Amino acid sequence: MGETQVKTAHPKGLWVLFGTEMWERFNFYGMRALLTLFLVNSLLMKEEEASLIYGGFLGLCYLTPMLGGFVADRFLGNRNCILLGGLLMAIGQMLLFTSGTIFEGNLPLAKIIMYSALGVIVFGNGFFKPNISSMVGSLYPKQEKTKLDSAFTIFYMGINIGAFLGQSICPLLGDVKDAGGIRDIHAFRWGFMAASVAMLLGTILFYFLKNKYVVSPEGRPLGGLPSKNIASDFEEGEAQKANFSSKALVLAGVAFIALGFFFHYAVGQNLIYTLIYSSGLSLAGLIISDTSLTKIERDRIIVIYIVSFFIIFFWAAFEQAGSSLTFIADNQTDRNFFGFLMPPSMVQIFNGLFVVVLAVPFSILWDTLRAKGKEPISPVKLAVGLVVISISFFMIATQVSYIGTSGLLLVKWLILLYFLNTCAELCLSPIGLSLVGKLSPKRFASLLYGVFFLSNASGYALGGTLGSILPATGDKFAKAKELGIDLQGVLDNKITPTAEQLALLDQHQISAHNHFFAGFEIHNLYEFFMVFVVLTGLAAIILFALTPFLKKMMHGVR
């Protein structure tokens, strides 16, 4: 080559990964926008049940990357895993299309197909997700590692352009109501079909462009079979393989089972949530027990763990978008947006939109602060994200306290909520991803991304649990009134409903009692949203307090 100057442009491979990821997010977010509404309206589930399935499904999507990362590191390599994952996800969406086609004639079979579809998508996502993120980092030579923050921000825009397309096209095809507000419960399948086509497009794109562009700075193909890795793929003086003694593996197995019993029986979580929480903790313990770790490496890994714990509360609040906030948009919101009546599943679109608009300004903000030597270290950015999301839920809580059970929330408040949530997300998600990349020893990179994604998974699981305590929205009170039942009286225990009335409420998917959280009864939407204000607010305060300690433990990494 003979050139010594550092190239300034991002490698072309970044754009190939960007495009592949964009179509994958189209498929994932498009389906996600419709999922809870499909479960409630076509498969006739209660909102509470739909929230739990939604949280469990999202959580598992972040659990399987552990498996995908392991299979790629040891056996198949990144590329093959990306192709395999893409095909599985496209098949899963086709199964949802099938479920959405046959539910009227055969509801039990449609439910079985729906569960199988979610299972196939979960595995596809597991093969796809960790492998594409870890390849972004490998496109850059060592002296350009500082560019990773902006590379991940660009990559993050790809994610969100895909999310935006998915959340606009799939609801337009799938979330359809006629002029009288009656929903077409057969339309959901067309949204799932669109998601499947998008995934196939992304997979084909990657297949044809990978050899030309997805290469290391020296031009060797990236993400091939692990048996072909060479020594220069590792930093000098770094152990090349993780060293787990059989004792450590057995202990991790025992810990996994013990934690499983604890979460399932003592805490009362369902099996999927139990799996998510216990595998996260036992994996974290296994990595830290590795004998080849130096003190500095171990300290840095502990920082990743502490940060991951706080991120759980962020995602639990953030992910109300697909469950409780979608139900509120559907049932108790005036969705008139400048004369266009938005489908309820489309209100989430503002999150993706705002990310696309704000990603570059945020990236410039960090660059400017860095140039002046004033850039906050990563844990501070994360704590700021938690403060902002806490404020956004406080704002929505005060709004719903004004409207009671009969008023409608104006859609602008939900849009403002998504705006603040997006600012919070930009302080947190790309920064978290890049922090794991900077702090983790290379031999553990995929596994530690796995731990980081497990904190997302735990957040989604917690979000599903919290979403399921959503109190009755206005439509439920109106419906109960039609049935001749005073729902408020029933919920306040002033009226004891008859067996027939209980059966009627159940038939219309209305709960006859308030939900509880941590021993508190949730009476109304205001109290429901305050749960998130308190959780994220407390997490922010504690994380701020821990910053000096974390800074020391990071040993110079910012």
Side-chain angles (χ1 to χ4, degrees):
M1 296 275 290
E3 295 175 42
T4 47
Q5 87 256 36
V6 182
K7 289 199 206 127
T8 46
H10 287 283
K12 289 201 175 88
L14 180 65
W15 303 106
V16 175
L17 296 178
F18 174 101
T20 312
E21 177 74 359
M22 182 182 92
W23 287 114
E24 185 268 335
R25 293 286 90 179
F26 176 107
N27 124 79
F28 191 79
Y29 280 97
M31 179 275 295
R32 203 189 82 164
L34 299 173
L35 182 63
T36 47
L37 292 171
F38 170 64
L39 296 179
V40 170
N41 293 291
S42 304
L43 301 187
L44 303 179
M45 297 184 173
K46 272 192 167 170
E47 288 178 1
E48 184 180 339
E49 197 184 348
S51 279
L52 288 169
I53 291 174
Y54 172 79
F57 163 69
L58 272 188
L60 286 176
C61 280
Y62 280 84
L63 186 63
T64 46
M66 312 289 318
L67 179 72
F70 175 76
V71 170
D73 282 350
R74 288 293 161 93
F75 307 107
L76 293 176
N78 301 112
R79 302 175 160 215
N80 295 338
C81 281
I82 289 173
L83 294 170
L84 174 67
L87 287 173
L88 282 173
M89 282 193 277
I91 293 167
Q93 302 287 1
M94 284 314 288
L95 286 171
L96 278 176
F97 172 80
T98 313
S99 172
T101 306
I102 64 164
F103 66 90
E104 216 161 28
N106 190 341
L107 188 61
L109 179 62
K111 281 190 179 176
I112 292 171
I113 293 179
M114 179 274 299
Y115 282 119
S116 327
L118 294 184
V120 172
I121 293 172
V122 160
F123 275 99
N125 184 69
F127 282 119
F128 190 97
K129 196 164 187 59
N131 292 308
I132 202 145
S133 307
S134 66
M135 284 171 81
V136 173
S138 318
L139 292 166
Y140 294 84
K142 283 198 190 73
Q143 66 272 20
E144 290 185 35
K145 286 295 181 208
T146 47
K147 272 186 163 166
L148 277 185
D149 271 11
S150 67
F152 270 112
T153 305
I154 292 175
F155 186 62
Y156 214 67
M157 277 181 74
I159 292 180
N160 286 285
I161 291 171
F164 171 73
L165 291 170
Q167 287 170 334
S168 44
I169 294 170
C170 297
L172 285 175
L173 295 171
D175 185 5
V176 182
K177 290 187 179 179
D178 66 12
I182 305 298
R183 177 174 264 120
D184 174 2
I185 54 174
H186 297 280
F188 289 111
R189 58 183 177 173
W190 300 114
F192 297 138
M193 170 72 98
S196 182
V197 172
M199 192 62 249
L200 278 173
L201 270 174
T203 311
I204 292 166
L205 170 98
F206 182 74
Y207 180 75
F208 285 111
L209 296 180
K210 63 182 191 314
N211 292 349
K212 189 165 172 200
Y213 294 118
V214 185
V215 290
S216 71
E218 299 77 51
R220 293 202 354 273
L222 280 177
L225 295 171
S227 50
K228 306 223 169 46
N229 274 352
I230 57 170
S232 71
D233 294 351
F234 296 92
E235 291 194 22
E236 304 86 73
E238 198 177 40
Q240 292 194 11
K241 268 223 172 103
N243 239 331
F244 297 124
S245 63
S246 40
K247 187 177 109 189
L249 288 168
V250 170
L251 276 175
V254 173
F256 175 68
I257 293 163
L259 286 163
F261 272 96
F262 170 73
F263 282 115
H264 190 53
Y265 294 108
V267 187
Q269 292 290 344
N270 67 28
L271 285 173
I272 289 181
Y273 288 20
T274 299
L275 177 69
I276 292 170
Y277 295 140
S278 27
S279 47
L281 288 166
S282 36
L283 178 86
L286 176 65
I287 294 179
I288 207 84
S289 74
D290 183 308
T291 45
S292 69
L293 284 174
T294 63
K295 176 176 179 330
I296 291 189
E297 285 177 337
R298 188 167 278 129
D299 281 355
R300 286 178 177 166
I301 290 175
I302 290 171
V303 174
I304 294 179
Y305 291 174
I306 293 173
V307 164
S308 299
F309 173 73
F310 286 101
I311 282 178
I312 293 176
F313 301 102
F314 174 84
W315 290 117
F318 188 85
E319 269 313 323
Q320 296 309 307
S323 51
S324 65
L325 290 171
T326 292
F327 294 138
I328 287 173
D330 192 14
N331 301 323
Q332 205 168 346
T333 301
D334 172 4
R335 295 189 308 281
N336 188 345
F337 187 65
F338 296 114
F340 164 61
L341 193 65
M342 298 187 82
S345 58
M346 207 200 237
V347 180
Q348 305 176 39
I349 199 173
F350 287 101
N351 172 232
L353 244 179
F354 288 135
V355 173
V356 175
V357 175
L358 296 171
V360 174
F362 263 82
S363 186
I364 294 172
L365 170 73
W366 303 136
D367 288 342
T368 318
L369 287 172
R370 188 176 316 129
K372 293 183 178 163
K374 290 192 178 149
E375 187 190 16
I377 62 168
S378 299
V380 174
K381 294 180 187 173
L382 301 177
V384 170
L386 283 163
V387 171
V388 173
I389 201 163
S390 185
I391 293 170
S392 73
F393 275 90
F394 182 67
M395 171 199 79
I396 212 91
T398 45
Q399 284 309 314
V400 292
S401 69
Y402 301 146
I403 59 173
T405 54
S406 52
L408 290 178
L409 185 66
L410 292 175
V411 79
K412 67 176 183 190
W413 292 110
L414 284 175
I415 295 172
L416 186 56
L417 171 96
Y418 285 132
F419 173 76
L420 290 171
N421 281 7
T422 305
C423 291
E425 180 190 9
L426 284 170
C427 289
L428 198 126
S429 194
I431 305 299
L433 278 172
S434 127
L435 185 69
V436 177
K438 290 185 231 169
L439 288 173
S440 50
K442 189 167 177 101
R443 61 188 182 286
F444 287 126
S446 295
L447 276 177
L448 283 166
Y449 270 114
V451 172
F452 183 72
F453 284 141
L454 273 172
S455 69
N456 290 20
S458 307
Y460 297 147
L462 180 60
T465 307
L466 293 175
S468 70
I469 62 172
L470 176 71
T473 42
D475 58 304
K476 308 283 185 296
F477 289 96
K479 189 76 204 168
K481 197 170 167 187
E482 262 172 56
L483 302 169
I485 301 168
D486 171 12
L487 184 58
Q488 193 65 58
V490 173
L491 292 174
D492 295 342
N493 296 329
K494 290 183 181 144
I495 299 173
T496 309
T498 62
E500 292 85 68
Q501 286 179 320
L502 281 174
L504 263 179
L505 286 174
D506 198 57
Q507 190 189 330
H508 289 301
Q509 300 157 309
I510 300 172
S511 195
H513 54 86
N514 283 325
H515 298 291
F516 282 83
F517 173 69
F520 294 99
E521 187 172 353
I522 304 292
H523 299 90
N524 51 41
L525 288 174
Y526 170 74
E527 290 178 10
F528 172 73
F529 285 120
M530 285 309 287
V531 169
F532 297 99
V533 176
V534 172
L535 279 178
T536 50
L538 276 175
I541 293 166
I542 299 169
L543 184 54
F544 268 125
L546 284 174
T547 306
F549 166 72
L550 293 175
K551 187 172 177 177
K552 208 168 84 194
M553 298 275 286
M554 285 160 70
H555 296 285
V557 171
R558 290 189 64 79

